[in-house]
Amino acid sequence: MTDSNSTKPDSNEKISFDWDDSPQQATVGYDPSEDFTCKASQAFDQWFACITVGKQLSNYYRYGEKRGCSKHWSKFKLCMAMKIRSEESGKAMMREYRAKQQAERDAQPNVMD
């Protein structure tokens, strides 16, 4: 037992914490590869951050070449194109874009090889 003036528990007492035991609210069957949203403002910000002088100078200093920002620009163009198309057409565009990105990643050398 603890003394009323002391906040330190005895070695025989168990300290209990109140953990939040509420169930997690996860969407059943959610597949992130089926997320077809594209935020044009976020894509534009990524492109703009890529082309800034600081990023370009840093990349030139480290690797001796200018950094290519075409992937950010193509994502921005995709987002803008998705805004004017129907939902199904936009989903098809996003699937094609992701397949192209995955093919490019697969073509690059792998650490595990």
Side-chain angles (χ1 to χ4, degrees), residues 31-38 78 82 86-103 105:
D31 185 12
S33 66
E34 293 295 318
D35 186 16
F36 295 107
T37 59
C38 188
L78 172 75
M82 284 179 65
S86 68
E87 185 176 345
E88 289 303 315
S89 177
K91 286 181 180 182
M93 290 174 66
M94 183 60 84
R95 279 189 204 102
E96 182 181 323
Y97 176 77
R98 287 187 177 159
K100 180 181 165 190
Q101 293 287 25
Q102 187 63 39
R105 270 188 242 118

Side-chain angles (χ1 to χ4, degrees), residues 2 10 27-28 43 46-47 64 67-68 75 77 83 86 89:
T2 60
D10 286 339
T27 306
V28 177
Q46 289 172 350
W47 171 75
R67 183 178 185 181
K75 186 172 182 181
K77 289 192 314 186
K83 299 276 184 201
S86 68
S89 177

Side-chain angles (χ1 to χ4, degrees), residues 1-107:
M1 295 281 159
T2 60
D3 187 39
S4 61
N5 295 333
S6 173
T7 59
K8 184 177 175 184
D10 286 339
S11 60
N12 295 338
E13 279 188 44
K14 290 187 177 182
I15 299 172
S16 64
F17 296 99
D18 294 332
W19 298 102
D20 183 17
D21 293 330
S22 62
Q24 297 293 330
Q25 296 197 5
T27 306
V28 177
Y30 174 71
D31 185 12
S33 66
E34 293 295 318
D35 186 16
F36 295 107
T37 59
C38 188
K39 296 180 180 171
S41 61
Q42 185 180 24
F44 182 80
D45 289 343
Q46 289 172 350
W47 171 75
F48 191 76
C50 180
I51 64 166
T52 58
V53 174
K55 291 281 186 177
Q56 293 295 330
L57 285 175
S58 175
N59 200 66
Y60 190 77
Y61 175 76
R62 289 181 184 160
Y63 307 111
E65 60 186 26
K66 180 180 170 271
R67 183 178 185 181
C69 300
S70 62
K71 67 178 184 176
H72 298 294
W73 183 250
S74 65
K75 186 172 182 181
F76 174 67
K77 289 192 314 186
L78 172 75
C79 292
M80 294 305 291
M82 284 179 65
K83 299 276 184 201
I84 61 172
R85 300 245 167 48
S86 68
E87 185 176 345
E88 289 303 315
S89 177
K91 286 181 180 182
M93 290 174 66
M94 183 60 84
R95 279 189 204 102
E96 182 181 323
Y97 176 77
R98 287 187 177 159
K100 180 181 165 190
Q101 293 287 25
Q102 187 63 39
E104 288 176 5
R105 270 188 242 118
D106 291 343

